[in-house]
Amino acid sequence: MVQAFLDTGLCGALVTTVIGSVSWQLVADAFPFAFLSTPFTYIMLRMCLVLEATGICNGAWILAGVHKRLAGFQNDDIHIGTAEERATQKRKDAAARETDLSALTGADGLKSV
């Protein structure tokens, strides 16, 4: 099963995407004036601002709203209740749940190497 996942190439694509996007952010963070003063960055920034000004990307919210209505999605409050309702029923939130390490690893705990 693990080999089938690795054969899809998704892992390599994910690593490439993360490294490719983070490297530019690190350069821009370390040298902001030098990064923004290059002609390529200026042109790309202007192109992005023009694209954003057109509102094309805002259409994704309309599509998401249509999909929500068609699929019949509901808020989490419908399924699990509000925080106040869970408190009155003395149900714990999932965030406070502790995970048993032995259940995940199949061992009784971590062993020192």
Side-chain angles (χ1 to χ4, degrees):
M1 182 166 157
V2 174
Q3 186 62 42
F5 172 72
L6 294 176
D7 288 341
T8 63
L10 183 64
C11 190
L14 183 65
V15 168
T16 304
T17 302
V18 169
I19 291 175
S21 65
V22 170
S23 62
W24 287 104
Q25 292 176 12
L26 291 175
V27 170
D29 185 47
F31 309 103
F33 292 116
F35 183 77
L36 291 174
S37 66
T38 62
F40 176 73
T41 304
Y42 182 76
I43 292 169
M44 290 300 294
L45 178 63
R46 287 294 176 183
M47 287 174 50
C48 290
L49 289 173
V50 167
L51 179 65
E52 184 180 358
T54 63
I56 291 174
C57 298
N58 294 338
W61 290 106
I62 295 170
L63 292 175
V66 170
H67 182 245
K68 179 181 177 181
R69 287 186 183 262
L70 289 176
F73 293 145
Q74 297 176 341
N75 290 336
D76 288 342
D77 297 342
I78 302 296
H79 301 287
I80 61 174
T82 63
E84 292 82 16
E85 291 171 350
R86 289 192 307 271
T88 58
Q89 296 173 358
K90 297 187 182 195
R91 291 185 354 204
K92 292 184 178 180
D93 286 336
R97 184 180 308 152
E98 293 183 19
T99 305
D100 184 20
L101 184 62
S102 63
L104 297 175
T105 62
D108 292 335
L110 297 176
K111 296 180 182 177
S112 300
V113 178

